Each structure stands twice: as structure tokens, then as C-alpha cells.
Amino acid sequence: MDISYIINELGEEREAYFQAVAPPIYQTSNFASATVAEMRHKLLHEEDEYMYTRGNNPTVTLLEKKLAALEGAEHAIAFGSGIAAVAAAILSQVKAGDHVVYTQHPYSWTKSLLRKFLPRFGVEATMVDGTDPENYRRAIRPNTTLLYLESPTSFTFDLQDIPAVTAIARAHGCATIIDNSCASPLHQRPLQLGVDLVVHSCTKYIGGHSDVMGGVICGSREAINKIFKSEYMTLGAILGPHDAWLLLRGLRTLPVRMERVAASTRQVVDYLAQHPKVERVLFPFLPSHPQYALAQKQMRSNSGQFSILLKTKELEQVELFCNSLHRFLMAASWGGHESLIFPVAASYATDQPAPILPLNLVRFYVGLEDPDYLIQDLEQALDKV
Ligand SMILES: *Cc1c(COP(=O)(O)O)cnc(C)c1O
């Protein structure tokens, strides 16, 4: 399906709302039935009906239709945050006694879910170096039901070979889930590479303006309906209609934002990669990166995130560099209009265990600013260290 069609036309029912170009926000919790028979039908088929907004709401449904189509999925289900989508997707594939294999360096709260939360309910998880698919195979046990991927990963931007991991999963009867937030549905289509469920934090590129949170799971109609009747309806982490509307507005400009972000990021990365004060840039689209060929094979383009390792091990120098940047906000998240940094040094406190990632690692997100404007800022900050 054409991306322009999906974003501008798919699911819009303008004749039902006075040909308004922007869809209405159906700000209602409840939908009435005219007869007992109609209400009975809705109760039996709530996944396909408008009955109660914790189930379906037309503004949210419009967003779900577009996100499913962008991923090439039969169906999608939206959540109030990315981690709610991650949690519902994982919960849908495990029960007490099951085991999950997941890649190292995933999103922090995904790791917390797998390492701290699910063990309380008898679900175990093993973290592997996902850059070698054989590590997934080696970690599989008779009770493994799920292989979990996040490619590229959140701070190191390591890739997993998606077709190789899904082939291993199929051979062992395991399901696969991938967190595709980093690539966006435009730059990577994991369902076509054999993955069962794709999740996104819509807070990032889909919203695109740092003003709304959301998440989504995309997959087969059967898998999504099963999640609807279980994790979705019982845990209730829904997306409100107003937030769905903001995400729809964000979607309208997704392709143009991604194109700009991708081109600017390559320019900023090229500048940093040759800078004598930068030890290494973690960005799979650099030809010198060990996973460059894999990136070319399974992704359509880079996104706006990468990390650098500064050529210093001194905490004060790292802090001086970060504090000297004025055109990059220091913050979590990414995917909005504004460029950001997230230094590992910020998660370092002397009275706590050292972070797993090196202290000289600084994660970047390149937003919609002029890349030269950003490079000037990097130059003056690097001059100081
Ligand atoms: C931000 C993020 C999440 C969580 O999304 P929220 O919308 O913040 O709940 C999950 N995965 C990745 C890769 C993320 O960057």
C-alpha cells in the first residue's frame, strides 16, 4: 500500500463528519445501543464494535488502521505508552514456567520487566548478545516460548539479524516480538522478515513533537484480537482519543520528518566520526561499523539516534562536554523536533554500582534543526574538552 495513501486517506470517513479534513476527537467513554439484541451483539464482538472506550474508540481505531498498514500488518492495537505495548505483547506470549530469550541493551524498562517483574510470576528470561543469532539458539530451553528483539538497541544501536533469529524461533516453536521504535515503520518492516509482533513507542517518531505518549502492537488479526480480549481489556493501559488525535497529526508529517532526520544525522555523524576527540561513533550506517552490511540488508535507512564514545575516561571531561552543548537538550526520549543528548554519566552515582555502559558514552538524537547549526554547537563543546 502506498505510504501517502495510508497517511492521508486510509480509514478516513470524511463523509461521516461534514468532510472535515482533520478527523474528530470522539471524546466519549461510552456508546449506546438501540436494542437488547444490538447490545448483546456488541458484548459478543467487542473487539469489532464501539461499546466502551476501554475497548474501541473511533479516533483510536483510525490511528490503529494507519499504523497496521504502515507495518504491513493485518491489525494493530494502541496503548497509552510504548512500555504498555511492550508489556502487553510480552505478557501475551508467556505463562508461569515459561522462558524468554532477549537481546542485551534493550530499552531500560523492557529489561526491568523481563528481569525483575516477570520472575515474580514464574517467567524467566535470559539476556544474550543479540549480534550473533546463534546466541539466541544456544539460550533456548525446552520451556522457551519467546525470542525478544530490539533492533537497533537503545544506547548501543546493535542490530539483530532479524530473518536469522525468526528462523531459529520457528525451528523451536517460539514466538518473536521486536521493538521497532528506533527504526520507525518507514525504515524497517520486521513482519516481512518473519517477526510475529511489532511494537512501537509512538511517543517517539510517530508523535514526533514531544507532546504525547503512546504505544502500539502490530500483528495478525488473530494475535491482536487475543491481546484485546486479555491483556488490553484486563490491564486497561489504553490510549485516550485526544492522544490518538495528536498521534494522527504527527503521522501526517512522518515521512518528511524521517527524511530530514536521516539526512541531518548522516551529516552530524560524518562530522563526529572524523573528530580527534571522538573515539568511536556507534551508528550501524557508518561503513566502518561491523554491522554495516546487515543494516543495509534489513533496514531502508538510518534514523536520528546514535551514540559516541568520547576520547576521555574522565567523568569531569564528559560532563564538561555535555554541559557545554546548548543546541542539544539533555533529556530522555527522542523522535521529536528537538535534538537531544542522554549521557550515561547521568545514570552514574558514586554510591551505586557502575553503569553497564561506558561512562564516556553519550547518546544523541538529531532533530529537525539545520545540521550546520548543530555541528557548530558540537565544535565549540568539543573544543572545551
Ligand atoms: C521510549 C521507548 C520505549 C517506551 O516507550 P514509552 O512511550 O516511553 O513508554 C520502548 N522502547 C524503546 C526502544 C523506546 O525508546
Side-chain angles (χ1 to χ4, degrees):
M1 221 183 290
D2 192 275
I3 287 170
S4 296
Y5 171 77
I6 294 169
I7 288 177
N8 295 291
E9 300 300 329
L10 179 72
E12 315 269 345
E13 293 174 28
R14 297 193 173 110
E15 62 286 1
Y17 35 79
F18 310 102
Q19 299 295 343
V21 171
I25 303 170
Y26 286 95
Q27 193 68 43
T28 181
S29 59
N30 227 350
F31 300 86
S33 299
T35 62
V36 174
E38 187 186 334
M39 190 158 181
R40 185 181 298 126
H41 178 84
K42 285 188 182 182
L43 283 168
L44 276 173
H45 305 280
E46 193 167 355
E47 69 277 13
D48 297 321
E49 298 291 335
Y50 296 118
M51 163 98 194
Y52 188 53
T53 283
R54 181 152 47 73
N56 286 315
N57 174 284
T59 315
V60 181
T61 301
L62 177 56
L63 175 72
E64 290 169 340
K65 281 184 181 162
K66 289 180 190 287
L67 292 176
L70 285 177
E71 279 291 354
E74 277 176 8
H75 208 18
I77 190 166
F79 291 82
S81 70
I83 196 65
V86 168
I90 292 176
L91 285 170
S92 77
Q93 300 301 321
V94 294
K95 60 182 186 323
D98 287 348
H99 174 248
V100 180
V101 184
Y102 67 104
T103 183
Q104 66 183 358
H105 307 310
Y107 177 68
S108 56
W109 292 102
T110 302
K111 187 166 158 187
S112 181
L113 175 76
L114 289 165
R115 273 164 72 127
K116 295 187 187 148
F117 191 93
L118 287 179
R120 286 167 43 200
F121 302 93
V123 176
E124 293 194 312
T126 304
M127 188 170 81
V128 296
D129 175 353
T131 58
D132 181 355
E134 285 307 310
N135 290 334
Y136 273 95
R137 191 198 303 277
R138 279 191 278 270
I140 289 174
R141 304 176 189 167
N143 59 337
T144 305
T145 56
L146 171 65
L147 307 188
Y148 185 88
L149 301 87
E150 180 181 311
S151 186
T153 51
S154 282
F155 272 79
T156 51
F157 307 102
D158 298 328
L159 310 183
Q160 296 104 61
D161 183 328
I162 299 171
V165 176
T166 57
I168 291 167
R170 272 194 301 278
H172 290 82
C174 303
T176 45
I177 299 173
I178 190 169
D179 184 331
N180 197 30
S181 306
C182 179
S184 91
L186 299 187
H187 291 176
Q188 185 165 266
R189 288 281 188 81
L191 293 172
Q192 291 170 1
L193 305 174
V195 171
D196 296 312
L197 294 173
V198 174
V199 297
H200 283 278
S201 167
C202 299
T203 311
K204 313 294 167 54
Y205 285 124
I206 312 282
H209 296 75
S210 302
D211 55 8
V212 60
M213 303 200 71
V216 71
I217 309 177
C218 304
S220 70
R221 185 162 292 277
E222 190 188 346
I224 299 297
N225 282 344
K226 187 168 157 275
I227 292 169
F228 179 94
K229 288 178 187 157
S230 178
E231 290 76 20
Y232 187 74
M233 287 303 286
T234 56
L235 299 178
I238 64 151
L239 182 70
H242 189 262
D243 286 343
W245 187 89
L246 283 169
L247 291 171
L248 283 163
R249 186 169 70 163
L251 255 193
R252 306 281 196 208
T253 55
L254 181 67
V256 64
R257 286 187 285 108
M258 292 309 292
E259 217 178 295
R260 165 80 172 186
V261 160
S264 299
T265 302
R266 286 192 296 271
Q267 208 172 316
V268 172
V269 164
D270 285 345
Y271 167 77
L272 287 167
Q274 55 75 44
H275 199 286
K277 289 182 182 167
V278 175
E279 186 179 293
R280 203 146 67 85
V281 183
L282 308 181
F283 181 67
F285 281 83
L286 265 183
S288 59
H289 190 281
Q291 293 187 300
Y292 178 68
L294 180 59
Q296 299 281 321
K297 199 174 88 186
Q298 69 185 19
M299 299 179 72
R300 294 177 185 185
S301 176
N302 64 286
S303 302
Q305 305 100 292
F306 62 90
S307 289
I308 64 169
L309 295 168
L310 284 166
K311 208 176 268 176
T312 175
K313 296 275 185 281
E314 285 173 44
L315 187 59
E316 288 112 81
Q317 290 293 302
V318 176
E319 290 193 21
L320 177 64
F321 168 72
C322 294
N323 295 343
S324 302
L325 288 169
H326 305 304
R327 294 169 181 178
F328 292 81
L329 298 178
M330 208 181 298
S333 198
W334 41 265
H337 54 92
E338 77 290 11
S339 291
L340 301 169
I341 56 162
F342 190 129
V344 166
S347 51
Y348 176 71
T350 42
D351 60 340
Q352 283 178 16
I356 295 160
L357 296 168
L359 273 179
N360 58 339
L361 188 150
V362 182
R363 184 180 76 183
F364 278 81
Y365 165 68
V366 172
L368 300 176
E369 303 91 337
D370 182 341
D372 290 326
Y373 171 84
L374 298 173
I375 288 168
Q376 277 169 22
D377 194 36
L378 289 165
E379 184 132 304
Q380 62 80 26
L382 285 165
D383 278 348
K384 292 200 175 122
V385 298

